[in-house]
Amino acid sequence: MIAFIRHLASEKRHSPRTCDSYQRDLQRLAIWLVEQGNPEWRNVSGYDLRRYVANLSRAGLSGRSIARHLSAIRRFYQYLLRERLATDNPALDIRAPKSSRRLPSVADVDQLNSLLDAAPDDPLEVRDRCMFELMYSSGLRLAELASLDVNAVDCIGGEARVVGKGGKTRLLPVGRKALEAIAQWLPFRAGLAPEAEPALFVSRRGDRISHRSIQARLSRWGVVKGADQKLHPHMLRHSFASHMLESSGDLRAVQELLGHADIATTQVYTHLDFQHLARVYDQSHPRARRRNSRDYDDQNAGQEGTT
């Protein structure tokens, strides 16, 4: 198993978080196999894995979590087959139980504008607002934001070169507000980061800011600046995607901006867009609006006068 994790990190260039997730999932399966008296990977059958899936379901895991486990197992057996350590992939035909699809939470446009326009109180808040502007401006993942280097942002051209999942690079537009926020942050960054530090966003100590710190600072920003809902990094990405789709209707463009390999992943935002359209319809269409009691009384009064 350790060799497989090294393979993911070195050959496939997966992030440390992804490698840790694969290792945890496979270790859980390994422990279960030992408990079943079947510790050898080459002896695992499809029947064994169906029992394992049932075990995970009884333990309360969602269909999505079980699907992630099965993905790790399939990838592991692909590696074992390549290394001639297994004769088949028993996970190929195993499917996770379906679970209800949760729509991502999205912040209101006006509220986001208000939060991002709030004045920072100190240099670290200047950094925070810059991070959040850039995340919302370009739809960045948390890991993409944290790994961004100074030389990856072209402030003149208004572009950022981002390394996404699987080491894939994409070039993203950066909005005017985000560019202004970067220009405000860079002088403060120069006073914190040593010359050899490439990271665009650094901590108080001058090293690259961690994922956990970004999450904590965004949550703090929401509380201090008066957000109506708890803010988290993925909400900004979801909001970017939903607001872009509402305005443009171009699903393919949103897919490219988000870096989704499969457009089916992006299509979740069409549900959010429909919700927006339904609200507009209910509020705007003369045959859809709900009349208030005064409208109803006026209408009835008019009818009584004509009978």
Side-chain angles (χ1 to χ4, degrees), residues 152-179:
V153 180
D154 178 2
C155 291
I156 297 175
E159 297 174 336
R161 189 175 65 255
V162 174
V163 180
K165 287 186 176 181
K168 294 180 180 177
T169 302
R170 65 189 193 280
L171 197 63
L172 297 175
V174 179
R176 176 178 58 85
K177 289 284 191 179
L179 292 172

Side-chain angles (χ1 to χ4, degrees), residues 141 144 170 237 254-261:
R141 298 180 176 96
E144 292 169 348
R170 65 189 193 280
R237 178 170 159 87
V254 174
Q255 177 195 5
E256 291 295 323
L257 290 168
L258 291 174
H260 286 162

Side-chain angles (χ1 to χ4, degrees), residues 87-98:
T87 57
D88 69 337
N89 188 336
L92 278 180
D93 297 325
I94 311 298
R95 295 290 176 265
K98 290 185 177 181

Side-chain angles (χ1 to χ4, degrees), residues 3-307:
F4 169 64
I5 301 302
R6 290 200 196 102
H7 159 75
L8 292 179
S10 58
E11 293 185 38
K12 297 299 183 181
R13 297 181 62 189
H14 285 318
S15 70
R17 287 169 64 89
T18 300
C19 292
D20 289 345
S21 176
Y22 272 85
Q23 187 165 358
R24 283 195 304 271
D25 291 348
L26 291 173
Q27 282 177 339
R28 183 167 184 166
L29 173 59
I31 291 170
W32 183 83
L33 289 172
V34 169
E35 292 172 351
Q36 304 303 308
N38 183 20
E40 297 294 330
W41 294 113
R42 66 171 60 246
N43 295 331
V44 175
S45 67
Y47 173 73
D48 294 324
L49 292 183
R50 287 186 179 88
R51 291 176 56 226
Y52 179 61
V53 166
N55 176 267
L56 294 178
S57 184
R58 284 194 298 271
L61 269 69
S62 67
R64 187 170 182 173
S65 295
I66 294 173
R68 191 199 69 219
H69 275 260
L70 288 170
S71 176
I73 296 167
R74 276 191 287 271
R75 290 285 299 277
F76 179 51
Y77 271 94
Q78 287 172 4
Y79 172 80
L80 293 180
L81 285 169
R82 193 190 79 168
E83 299 298 313
R84 300 181 185 277
L85 297 174
T87 57
D88 69 337
N89 188 336
L92 278 180
D93 297 325
I94 311 298
R95 295 290 176 265
K98 290 185 177 181
S99 56
S100 58
R101 191 172 194 180
R102 292 182 303 170
L103 293 178
S105 55
V106 172
D108 177 74
V109 174
D110 292 334
Q111 182 177 120
L112 263 185
N113 285 333
S114 175
L115 289 170
L116 294 174
D117 287 340
D121 296 325
D122 55 53
L124 291 184
E125 282 200 355
V126 173
R127 176 205 64 193
D128 294 346
R129 185 172 71 170
C130 182
M131 290 192 301
F132 310 148
E133 281 280 11
L134 190 53
M135 187 172 282
Y136 177 56
S137 168
S138 304
L140 301 184
R141 298 180 176 96
L142 173 60
E144 292 169 348
L145 181 79
S147 65
L148 205 60
D149 290 338
V150 174
N151 63 10
V153 180
D154 178 2
C155 291
I156 297 175
E159 297 174 336
R161 189 175 65 255
V162 174
V163 180
K165 287 186 176 181
K168 294 180 180 177
T169 302
R170 65 189 193 280
L171 197 63
L172 297 175
V174 179
R176 176 178 58 85
K177 289 284 191 179
L179 292 172
E180 291 173 359
I182 292 171
Q184 292 168 6
W185 158 240
L186 287 177
F188 291 109
R189 180 197 173 278
L192 291 172
E195 190 174 342
E197 176 56 63
L200 175 59
F201 297 112
V202 297
S203 69
R204 192 191 303 271
R205 299 183 304 274
D207 56 351
R208 189 181 297 275
I209 193 169
S210 68
H211 295 188
R212 189 175 295 276
S213 292
I214 296 172
Q215 292 169 323
R217 295 295 293 191
L218 178 55
S219 178
R220 174 188 177 277
W221 183 275
V223 171
V224 171
K225 306 303 180 184
D228 293 337
Q229 55 194 132
K230 185 175 180 181
L231 300 182
H232 54 85
H234 228 54
M235 178 187 286
L236 294 183
R237 178 170 159 87
H238 290 323
S239 300
F240 160 84
S242 181
H243 298 164
M244 282 289 296
L245 191 58
E246 285 177 9
S247 300
S248 69
D250 193 332
L251 191 64
R252 285 287 181 186
V254 174
Q255 177 195 5
E256 291 295 323
L257 290 168
L258 291 174
H260 286 162
D262 187 350
I263 198 168
T265 310
T266 319
Q267 283 174 332
V268 65
Y269 297 105
T270 62
H271 296 284
L272 296 171
D273 189 40
F274 178 79
Q275 290 177 350
H276 167 75
L277 293 174
R279 284 196 300 271
V280 172
Y281 176 83
D282 288 341
Q283 294 166 6
S284 307
H285 196 287
R287 303 288 284 180
R289 288 197 302 263
R290 293 183 179 179
R291 290 187 172 87
N292 58 34
S293 57
R294 182 176 177 181
D295 290 339
Y296 181 79
D297 292 341
D298 289 347
Q299 185 186 41
N300 282 348
Q303 289 175 345
E304 289 170 0
T306 58
T307 57

